[in-house]
């Protein structure tokens, strides 16, 4: 799980999984403008892209499951 008050830059998502974050949704809506210094509150949903293996690594590393997979 992403730590509260951590940033995308600090998360190491790409470095540890190979996935790229392409959008973030939260209470204010959907944003495809990614700010690597934005602090996470823990309530966001991330839209990530990557190979099947990369997405599996993301789910495992951050203890999450897909809500929707696009092939």
């Amino acid at each position: 799980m992403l730590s509260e008050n951590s940033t995308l830059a600090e998360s190491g998502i790409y470095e540890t999984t190979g996935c790229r974050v392409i959008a973030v949704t939260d209470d204010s809506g959907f944003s495809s403008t990614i700010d690597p210094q934005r602090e996470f509150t823990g309530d966001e949903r991330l839209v990530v892209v990557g190979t099947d293996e990369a997405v599996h690594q993301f789910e495992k590393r951050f203890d999450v499951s897909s809500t929707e997979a696009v092939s």
Side-chain angles (χ1 to χ4, degrees), residues 5 12 17 31 38-39 63:
N5 297 324
T17 69
S31 175
R38 172 191 173 161
E39 288 189 359
D63 193 29

Side-chain angles (χ1 to χ4, degrees), residues 10-22:
E10 296 167 336
S11 71
I13 290 173
Y14 179 73
E15 294 80 7
T16 60
T17 69
C19 286
R20 295 213 184 261
V21 177
I22 61 168

Side-chain angles (χ1 to χ4, degrees), residues 30-62:
F30 178 85
S31 175
S32 60
T33 303
I34 307 301
D35 176 1
Q37 299 306 316
R38 172 191 173 161
E39 288 189 359
F40 293 115
T41 64
D43 294 327
E44 297 87 354
R45 287 188 165 182
L46 304 180
V47 179
V48 298
V49 295
T51 64
D52 288 344
E53 179 60 28
V55 172
H56 176 72
Q57 288 298 320
F58 175 84
E59 292 171 342
K60 185 176 169 184
R61 166 76 170 83
F62 294 100

